Amino acid sequence: MTGRHSGTRRAAWAAVVVLGITGGSVLGGGAARADNGIDKLSAQQIADRSRDALLSTRSLHLSVRGELGDNSPPSSLELSLDRDGNCNGSVGLGHSQGSVRVVKRGDDVWVKPDANFWKNQVPTGGSAFAAILNGRYMKGSADDPRLRDLAKGCDLDTFRKLVGDNADNDRGTLNKGHKTMLDGAPVVPLTRMRDGRTLTMYVAATGKPYPLKITVQGNGTDAVVGFSAFDKPVPTTTPPPDQTYDISALLGRTSAPV
């Protein structure tokens, strides 16, 4: 099951790599309301305020699409997550390499790889696992070593810690652009050059100063990151028992559903 482990770790990695590129100093997203006056601030002041806004949020939806500089096909990530360690979403590996649905609620984790994932990521035995699951989710505990990395990536506190730990990483000149519109919302763009990459953040100019979109280009990276649904609850629906299969039973090659 090495291939499955690699795929689930990528769900966390795909987001973490973007946070690492930003240096943790300018991230966020959220609803726009009254003018917040950030266009009158310096680039660094805007960056600091957006960092503080991210650190204060209870939940968010993270969207990542593009090439993340690891010599792999374009990836995608759609994940809602909160500070309580709940999450709901999916990760796609690109070029028909497979995708994985992920649900975590409390201490329970459900994972459902698609047929392409089993075929391409687990070439030895993947078809047998897919046949046993027959479209069902694998279910396990967040403490299970096989799911621990995924469970950690589902926790918003993991991202908040990364942002806090890298808050002083300000390599590269940070520049402020003119106030403009992004998908109907007023924003102020910030641009930073670092390690051969150009990073542009569009920070909301109304309401809390959350960036609504981040683009990263250069040095093998061409990615777009979106932040939304700040402080909105993560969906609470979990797969029903007849659509789940215990991960230990699967690896033990039994066929009894949960």
Side-chain angles (χ1 to χ4, degrees), residues 19-33:
L19 293 174
I21 292 170
T22 65
S25 62
V26 274
L27 289 173
R33 296 182 181 178

Side-chain angles (χ1 to χ4, degrees), residues 215-240:
T215 63
V216 188
Q217 295 181 313
N219 198 19
T221 302
D222 186 3
V224 178
V225 185
F227 295 89
S228 61
F230 272 63
D231 291 324
K232 300 291 180 65
V234 172
T236 59
T237 302
T238 58

Side-chain angles (χ1 to χ4, degrees), residues 87-197:
C87 76
N88 192 307
S90 63
V91 57
L93 305 184
H95 293 341
S96 300
Q97 291 298 300
S99 64
V100 181
R101 283 283 308 163
V102 180
V103 178
K104 181 177 179 292
R105 198 78 195 168
D107 293 327
D108 294 321
V109 182
W110 294 262
V111 182
K112 183 166 74 170
D114 66 3
N116 282 332
F117 181 95
W118 289 116
K119 176 183 177 181
N120 294 293
Q121 307 303 318
V122 192
T124 302
S127 59
F129 289 121
I132 294 173
L133 285 170
N134 193 27
R136 289 174 289 187
Y137 285 79
M138 292 183 290
K139 181 184 178 182
S141 168
D143 294 330
D144 189 311
R146 296 160 295 197
L147 297 174
R148 192 174 295 149
D149 288 338
L150 178 60
K152 185 177 181 181
C154 273
D155 193 336
L156 180 57
D157 281 340
T158 298
F159 296 93
R160 294 176 68 250
K161 184 178 187 304
L162 185 64
V163 171
D165 289 349
N166 289 276
D168 295 329
N169 185 349
D170 58 357
R171 290 183 297 108
T173 302
L174 186 65
N175 296 305
K176 180 180 76 171
H178 295 292
K179 189 175 181 180
T180 186
M181 300 294 289
L182 175 70
D183 299 328
V187 295
V188 175
L190 298 179
T191 302
R192 188 192 294 276
M193 294 287 296
R194 178 186 291 154
D195 300 327
R197 299 182 176 96

Side-chain angles (χ1 to χ4, degrees), residues 28 54 57-63 79-82 156 159 226-232 234:
L54 174 65
T57 195
R58 299 294 309 178
S59 60
L60 60 83
H61 182 83
L62 174 66
S63 174
L79 190 67
S80 295
L81 63 165
D82 64 23
L156 180 57
F159 296 93
F227 295 89
S228 61
F230 272 63
D231 291 324
K232 300 291 180 65
V234 172

